[in-house]
Amino acid sequence: MVMKVYSPEFKADAVALYLSDPSHTFEGIGKNLGISRETLRNWVRAERARRGGSTTSTSTEKNTVDSPPTAEELRAESEALRREPAAARKEMHKLATERDILRRATKFFRTRDDLVTNRFQFIEDHHRAWGVKRLCAVLEVARSSFYKWRAGREARAAREQADAALAERIRAVHAEWDGTYGRPRITAELSGDGELVNHKRVGRVMRKFGIAGLRLRRRQVTTVPEPSATPMPGLLGRDFTAGAPNTKYVGDITCLPMGDGEFLYPATVLDCFSRRLVGWSIADHMRTSLVADALRAAARVRGSLVGAVFHSDHGAQYSSREFASFCAELGVRQSMGAVGTSADNALAESFNATLKRETLRGARRFDGARACRLAVFRRTTRYNTRRRHSANGQQAPIAYEQQSATLTLAA
């Protein structure tokens, strides 16, 4: 125990305070000053001895100073001294218990996922050993909150089972689309199958069970402008919508890696009305014939492109005289965005980025040209017939066009 050191001024003031009133007691003044009665008694005795029995002190003061402690005072002091070790042992036991509780609770808090729930679970698992009240106090949670959490166990168990069942259905859709579908399309696919579920719940379950769609890779530049090209006007103005099919198209080129430094280049033609891939071609080069073949395929599908607008970037293939003559032959009006601005052809850029992501499916390259061509063929076919598109109200492009035609005839 550390001994307290009091200054001479403090001692003198304490003695003076005691002697200032005959009704003062050692017990009362000692409590007020934070010292023991015996300490104060010794200071008073020392002061009396220093004065040498001076007559300045009254007889009452002498009797008060020199009077021995009563039996009641001695019993009270003895009881206080007896309680001090017991209180210290009780406090030490309490601290040791709290230390053991926190030590065992460490593994529940190693992850940062829902720490409050982890605390409640620890209390539930150990309340028989330490009691709910003590555990809640040590872990700093309200008992009412714990009991509310405990009352909801059955509801949570049912929700966990429902989430697990939903996760299995999500995995089935995710696997069917080669792991490319994310939350919006999976939600639409489930709704199409009669599973009415909120997209927020689908997202939560996907995060909980580690299900995620593919993300975009780093973009590779395929637009090489022709310095001598004749400027073309931008007829779309970043408006990639259309009131009817076969009026506005966009196109672009992307690259698909295979082997050691080899590439195949798909060129695409999209209808702005339904986002349908109307024409496409693929080759191991990026000459003008590549984009011309894609536009020619679109003309075969639609029967005619006369009067339609075809929008592209300023790549050398699209700005060449050869392609301009071909567009004039088909009756197509050319349109181009600003140089170096991908947003002016955002619809085609987005489609090709998705094409690349969903055919590679996380791989760095294809095994060969045949595997690459088959993957593109499979993806483009499913895209038109089955893949849901947010711009179409989560309908596939061909289904959206058919529904629009039906509504037009009905009107």
Side-chain angles (χ1 to χ4, degrees), residues 272 293 297 327:
C272 293
D293 288 343
C327 289

Side-chain angles (χ1 to χ4, degrees), residues 47 142 150 156 259 322 404:
E47 178 63 20
R150 175 189 274 180
R156 284 196 306 277
E322 180 184 351
S404 301

Side-chain angles (χ1 to χ4, degrees), residues 21-305:
D21 191 333
S23 64
H24 287 167
T25 62
F26 293 120
E27 186 75 21
I29 298 299
K31 285 184 177 180
N32 291 337
L33 299 179
I35 58 178
S36 68
R37 62 189 303 276
E38 283 303 313
T39 299
L40 180 60
R41 185 195 298 275
N42 291 334
W43 291 351
V44 172
R45 285 176 177 172
E47 178 63 20
R48 294 293 298 154
R50 187 184 65 79
R51 292 181 182 182
S54 172
T55 56
T56 57
S57 301
T58 63
S59 60
T60 305
E61 289 175 347
K62 288 183 179 180
N63 294 337
T64 304
V65 173
D66 297 333
S67 62
T70 64
E72 183 179 354
E73 291 176 337
L74 290 175
R75 283 195 301 270
E77 185 174 0
S78 176
E79 180 64 21
L81 293 174
R82 186 185 66 80
R83 285 197 299 266
E84 283 184 3
R89 286 194 298 271
K90 183 178 180 181
E91 183 66 20
M92 290 178 62
H93 178 70
K94 176 184 176 183
L95 294 175
T97 302
E98 292 179 355
R99 179 197 61 194
D100 293 340
I101 292 173
L102 293 174
R103 182 180 296 168
R104 294 198 182 186
T106 300
K107 67 179 182 179
F108 282 77
F109 308 136
R110 285 175 182 169
T111 62
R112 301 194 61 83
D113 299 335
D114 205 349
L115 291 181
V116 175
T117 300
N118 291 345
R119 295 183 189 187
F120 289 157
Q121 189 61 55
F122 179 82
I123 295 171
E124 177 67 18
D125 295 345
H126 298 85
H127 73 277
R128 290 185 178 84
W130 289 303
V132 172
K133 182 178 179 180
R134 171 172 289 179
L135 289 170
C136 288
V138 173
L139 299 181
E140 298 181 347
V141 295
R143 273 186 289 169
S144 59
S145 299
F146 167 72
Y147 287 123
K148 183 178 180 180
W149 175 85
R150 175 189 274 180
R153 277 184 299 191
E154 294 184 1
R156 284 196 306 277
R159 187 164 57 250
E160 288 291 328
Q161 293 180 357
D163 285 350
L166 178 59
E168 288 302 315
R169 293 191 289 275
I170 290 174
R171 285 196 184 98
V173 176
H174 194 251
E176 181 183 0
W177 288 94
D178 304 321
T180 60
Y181 265 18
R183 180 189 67 179
R185 290 187 174 87
I186 287 179
T187 304
E189 195 73 20
L190 293 173
S191 299
D193 294 337
E195 179 79 21
L196 298 180
V197 60
N198 186 278
H199 68 94
K200 293 181 180 179
R201 185 185 175 202
V202 172
R204 177 179 61 80
V205 172
M206 290 179 68
R207 288 191 299 272
K208 179 178 179 180
F209 289 88
I211 307 171
L214 286 178
R215 298 183 180 275
L216 290 173
R217 289 182 173 272
R218 182 179 297 176
R219 179 175 176 268
Q220 180 166 343
V221 177
T222 55
T223 302
V224 181
E226 173 61 51
S228 61
T230 303
M232 288 287 180
L235 302 178
L236 298 191
R238 298 188 183 180
D239 179 12
F240 302 110
T241 60
N246 199 24
T247 57
K248 292 163 63 174
Y249 293 94
V250 294
D252 195 15
I253 303 173
T254 190
C255 64
L256 297 174
M258 59 176 187
D260 297 328
E262 298 177 349
F263 294 88
L264 283 183
Y265 301 95
T268 55
V269 178
L270 286 172
D271 192 316
C272 293
F273 173 75
S274 62
R275 272 49 173 181
R276 179 178 178 179
L277 181 63
V278 184
W280 65 279
S281 63
I282 187 169
D284 58 359
H285 61 81
M286 290 195 297
R287 294 189 290 272
T288 302
S289 59
L290 173 68
V291 295
D293 288 343
L295 195 60
R296 184 179 293 109
R300 285 197 298 267
V301 170
R302 291 304 194 193
S304 173
L305 298 180

